Amino acid sequence: TQEGCSVVRMKLDKLYKKVDLPSIPDSLLASYDEVVSNYIETTKGWTLENGAFASYYMATKNSSSSKLRNWLKTTFDKHDIKCESPKGFIYQALIDGLKIHTDTHREYVYNYIIDPGGSDVYTVFYNENKEEIYRVKIEPKTWHRLHTKTAHTVVGITGIRFGVSVFNPQYD
């Protein structure tokens, strides 16, 4: 029924939603190598199945992140998406082996994938029994919102998945 489809769509929108925000101008983005060289690695997140780490990078005072931070704040405000500022974003780097997990420090996150880390990479959501309930292939240079309290992972990474993550968004 149409009502049943609406309920399913509402549940899927809670897990994953493509967000109609403009692409971040390339001139504001640092490359992976620039981030590793010039940014502070704030946490290695958690150990991956292969023993490596998921890495998160916070900007330093000497980096060019203030222009990106200002662009993000202006863009999110213009589209009436509330997020904390000024520490409202990090660069995120992932390699294959990310365990199924939930985020303890946030309910939703807005991600902008610069490089998906391969041609066949999917974000996968799971129920409480670790059974797959939804998977999505997220295209580079697009915004999406994820519900990070639902168990999830990323599969199919063959390189480095690299992007911008806007954290602590306040979802209404």
Side-chain angles (χ1 to χ4, degrees), residues 52-95:
F53 291 94
S55 296
Y56 304 93
Y57 298 90
M58 182 73 68
T60 67
K61 290 181 179 177
N62 298 326
S63 71
S64 61
S65 67
S66 60
K67 289 181 182 177
L68 175 55
R69 184 176 290 111
N70 290 339
W71 185 91
L72 289 168
K73 179 164 179 17
T74 300
T75 301
F76 275 56
D77 285 350
K78 182 179 177 182
H79 290 84
D80 203 29
I81 298 172
K82 308 295 183 227
C83 66
E84 287 188 6
S85 186
K87 295 181 180 179
F89 85 94
I90 56 171
Y91 281 101
Q92 181 184 63
L94 301 173
I95 60 172

Side-chain angles (χ1 to χ4, degrees), residues 21 23 41 50 69 76-77 106 116 129 142 155 160 163 172:
L21 289 172
S23 295
E41 189 169 6
N50 60 10
R69 184 176 290 111
F76 275 56
D77 285 350
R106 59 190 179 188
N129 298 320
T142 61
V155 298
I160 297 173
D172 296 321

Side-chain angles (χ1 to χ4, degrees), residues 108-126:
Y108 286 94
V109 65
Y110 287 81
N111 285 338
Y112 181 84
I113 303 302
I114 298 167
D115 183 338
S119 61
D120 206 26
V121 178
Y122 292 86
T123 300
V124 183
F125 292 91
Y126 300 87

Side-chain angles (χ1 to χ4, degrees), residues 30-68:
S31 70
Y32 174 73
D33 290 336
E34 289 171 325
V35 168
V36 170
S37 297
N38 300 313
Y39 286 57
I40 298 169
E41 189 169 6
T42 60
T43 179
K44 290 192 174 185
W46 49 84
T47 304
L48 305 179
E49 290 173 359
N50 60 10
F53 291 94
S55 296
Y56 304 93
Y57 298 90
M58 182 73 68
T60 67
K61 290 181 179 177
N62 298 326
S63 71
S64 61
S65 67
S66 60
K67 289 181 182 177
L68 175 55

Side-chain angles (χ1 to χ4, degrees), residues 8 11 17-18 30 33 37 40 65 114 135 137 143 155:
V8 169
K11 288 181 181 180
K17 184 175 183 177
K18 186 174 180 181
D33 290 336
S37 297
I40 298 169
S65 67
I114 298 167
R135 76 171 39 212
K137 186 175 187 177
W143 284 99
V155 298

Side-chain angles (χ1 to χ4, degrees), residues 108-171:
Y108 286 94
V109 65
Y110 287 81
N111 285 338
Y112 181 84
I113 303 302
I114 298 167
D115 183 338
S119 61
D120 206 26
V121 178
Y122 292 86
T123 300
V124 183
F125 292 91
Y126 300 87
N127 65 18
E128 56 279 349
N129 298 320
K130 294 192 177 179
E131 299 165 329
E132 183 177 324
I133 55 174
Y134 184 65
R135 76 171 39 212
V136 60
K137 186 175 187 177
I138 299 171
E139 296 301 319
K141 309 271 178 133
T142 61
W143 284 99
H144 60 280
R145 187 191 72 214
L146 300 178
H147 184 254
T148 58
K149 294 290 186 191
T150 301
H152 62 283
T153 191
V154 180
V155 298
I157 300 172
T158 57
I160 297 173
R161 183 178 180 90
F162 182 61
V164 171
S165 188
V166 177
F167 51 94
N168 293 330
Q170 299 168 0
Y171 180 73

